[in-house]
Amino acid sequence: MDKKVYLLLGSLPIEGNEKSYGGATILMRSLVDYLHHTDFQYFLISLNKNSNIIVNYVRILFYLTIKIGKANVLFLNISNNGAFILGPVAYCFSKVFKKKMVFRLFGSNFEKNFNLKSKLVQNIAINTFLKSDLVIVETVQNHDYIDKLGVKEIIQLPNVRKRISKVVVDKEFSKRFVFISHVKESKGVLEIIKASKLLPEDYTIDVYGPIKEKFDINLFKNSNVIYRGVLSPQEVIATLLKYDVILLPSFYQGEGHPGILVEAMSVGIPAISTNWNSISDVVEDGYNGFLIEIKNSKALVKAILSFSQDIYPIMSENSIQKFKEFDQEIVYRELASKLSLIQ
């Protein structure tokens, strides 16, 4: 490993603050945890220490000014919206202080966000953070679009999770299905409720997650779906192991590589999800699960009934094999190799 010093910028989950947990913060946490157990040398500036936006940006700029002189590479990790604000600022800092820059984009739908911006903002993006020494994106969709913008150094780094040892993939199919995510319409919860009413009585569907967007929790009372409350991050894997299949019929605009689907794969749990945004990077239809159209409860029912004791062990094993593409150890080892090449 080279001896370069990296200045990491990214948002981390805040213990005890439910709102701080999300795809980007969990991914950033996993990167920091990985680097902590390597000989990488780095400083870290958290992007979400203060809820007041102005105070937060002043704090970031202050610590950026102080710490950038001690680093060789500025490594910005950020989601779509923040990219157009902090991306140009970080790039200017890297040029003024003559540092290399790595820009990492979380999530999907960069094309839509980019096209909604003015020509001025688009040009600033193209001539600042998209000119970084290395651009890292989460999804194939983002990679292909940004590549067309003429970005020279770009790689795809998928959502990742830790490998789980001693996974049992030959358990009996018990017709137990689960949803674990934010409970809101755009995650497909209404479709799950509708589908439950068309299933045989021996099928079980449980829902876990925080209620969002004023979702009417009373809707569960008139269905065969049971709402089980909120899980802590430490409870997710143990909970997944109680079920056969993960459900995520999402049409959420910001969906990239849903972390819950990756976590389910890590323990051999197949998925039923939607052919939406970049979910097909994670779930291969007919291999480690099924993909359905969005907002289609009948298609969801058909997919649920497609599972049987015959095909379940096969899809479970396929989930384990597919997880290798999202294995934190493998993916970050490849990232470390790419970072070492930055001169």
Coordinates of all heavy atoms in Angstrom, one line a residue, residues 120 173 265 318 321-322:
L120 N -25.5 26.5 -16.8 CA -24.3 27.0 -16.0 C -23.9 26.0 -15.0 O -22.7 25.7 -14.9 CB -24.7 28.3 -15.3 CG -23.7 28.9 -14.3 CD1 -22.4 29.2 -15.1 CD2 -24.2 30.1 -13.6
F173 N -38.5 -23.9 2.8 CA -39.3 -22.8 2.3 C -40.6 -22.7 3.1 O -41.4 -23.6 3.0 CB -39.6 -22.8 0.8 CG -40.5 -21.7 0.3 CD1 -40.1 -20.4 0.4 CD2 -41.7 -22.0 -0.2 CE1 -40.9 -19.4 0.0 CE2 -42.6 -21.0 -0.7 CZ -42.2 -19.7 -0.6
M265 N -29.0 -10.7 0.4 CA -28.2 -11.6 -0.4 C -27.1 -12.2 0.4 O -26.7 -13.4 0.2 CB -27.6 -10.9 -1.6 CG -28.5 -10.7 -2.8 SD -27.5 -10.2 -4.2 CE -26.8 -8.7 -3.7
N318 N -28.0 -19.0 -5.3 CA -27.7 -17.9 -6.3 C -27.5 -16.6 -5.7 O -26.7 -15.7 -6.1 CB -28.8 -17.8 -7.4 CG -28.8 -19.0 -8.3 OD1 -27.8 -19.8 -8.3 ND2 -29.9 -19.2 -9.1
Q321 N -24.0 -16.4 -4.3 CA -23.1 -16.2 -5.4 C -23.1 -14.8 -5.9 O -22.1 -14.2 -6.2 CB -23.4 -17.2 -6.6 CG -23.2 -18.6 -6.2 CD -21.8 -18.9 -5.7 OE1 -20.8 -18.5 -6.3 NE2 -21.7 -19.7 -4.6
K322 N -24.3 -14.2 -6.0 CA -24.4 -12.8 -6.5 C -23.8 -11.8 -5.5 O -23.3 -10.8 -5.9 CB -25.9 -12.5 -6.7 CG -26.2 -11.1 -7.2 CD -25.8 -10.9 -8.7 CE -26.2 -9.6 -9.2 NZ -25.7 -9.3 -10.6

